[in-house]
Amino acid sequence: MKLLIINGPNLNLLGTREPEIYGSRTFESYLQELREMLEGEEVEYRQSNHEGDIIDFLHNAECDGIILNAGAYTHTSLAIADAISGIQIPVIEVHISNTATREAIRHTSLIAPVCRGTIAGFGLNSYFLAAQAFIMGHVNR
C-alpha cells in the first residue's frame, strides 16, 4: 500500500514549537520510526506552510490513501476541503493534539466533513493509527 502524509503550516517546527502541546520530537525522526513500523508499506511525505502547495499535493497525489494534518488550515480552508472533495483518493484527517480541548476556534474542522475519518489527540501516533486504518482496510475508496 502506498500512503502519502501531508503536513500543513508550522508542522516543520515540531520538536521546538510548543513542546508542551506537540512534544519535543521532530517529525523527521518520527517519520523514520513510522516507516520502520510500517515495513512493507510505501510512505511518502510532503510538508508546506502554503495553502496552494497543500492543494497541489492533494491534486497530484498518486497513492492509495492520504493522511492529512492541515494544521491551522483545518479550521479556515474551504479551498483544501474542496480539493479533498475533488479527488478520488481517501483522506484521513489527523491532529497531534486533541483539538476539542483547545481554543474554541480549533473545535470546528472545515475538512472533517470531506474526510473519511479524523484521528486526534494521540500525539505523533495519530499518524500510525491513520496508517493502520488504511492498511487494515477500514477505509473505503
Side-chain angles (χ1 to χ4, degrees):
M1 173 163 286
K2 184 175 180 181
L3 300 173
L4 172 61
I5 297 172
I6 301 173
N7 274 343
N10 300 310
L11 290 162
N12 58 306
L13 299 177
L14 287 176
T16 59
R17 175 185 173 225
E18 299 177 276
E20 66 281 3
I21 296 172
Y22 301 107
S24 57
R25 191 164 188 195
T26 67
F27 191 79
E28 288 72 18
S29 71
Y30 175 73
L31 181 60
Q32 181 178 351
E33 180 182 314
L34 180 64
R35 285 179 170 145
E36 290 170 8
M37 290 188 295
L38 300 174
E39 183 181 354
E41 312 299 338
E42 186 176 346
V43 180
E44 291 187 21
Y45 174 60
R46 306 278 183 273
Q47 188 278 328
S48 182
N49 295 316
H50 306 282
E51 185 178 32
D53 288 346
I54 295 167
I55 292 166
D56 288 343
F57 296 155
L58 290 163
H59 288 176
N60 297 320
E62 294 181 8
C63 58
D64 300 303
I66 297 171
I67 299 168
L68 172 62
N69 184 341
Y73 288 136
T74 298
H75 319 289
T76 63
S77 182
L78 288 173
I80 291 175
D82 288 347
I84 295 167
S85 291
I87 63 174
Q88 297 300 310
I89 302 167
V91 177
I92 295 178
E93 172 187 16
V94 300
H95 297 284
I96 296 166
S97 68
N98 181 352
T99 55
T101 64
R102 308 228 5 235
E103 308 91 328
I105 194 166
R106 295 183 195 270
H107 296 179
T108 301
S109 169
L110 299 181
I111 67 172
V114 294
C115 289
R116 299 298 165 89
T118 301
I119 298 173
F122 294 95
L124 290 171
N125 285 325
S126 295
Y127 295 89
F128 176 73
L129 295 170
Q132 286 298 301
F134 281 117
I135 293 165
M136 297 183 75
H138 297 302
V139 181
N140 304 3
R141 273 196 163 281

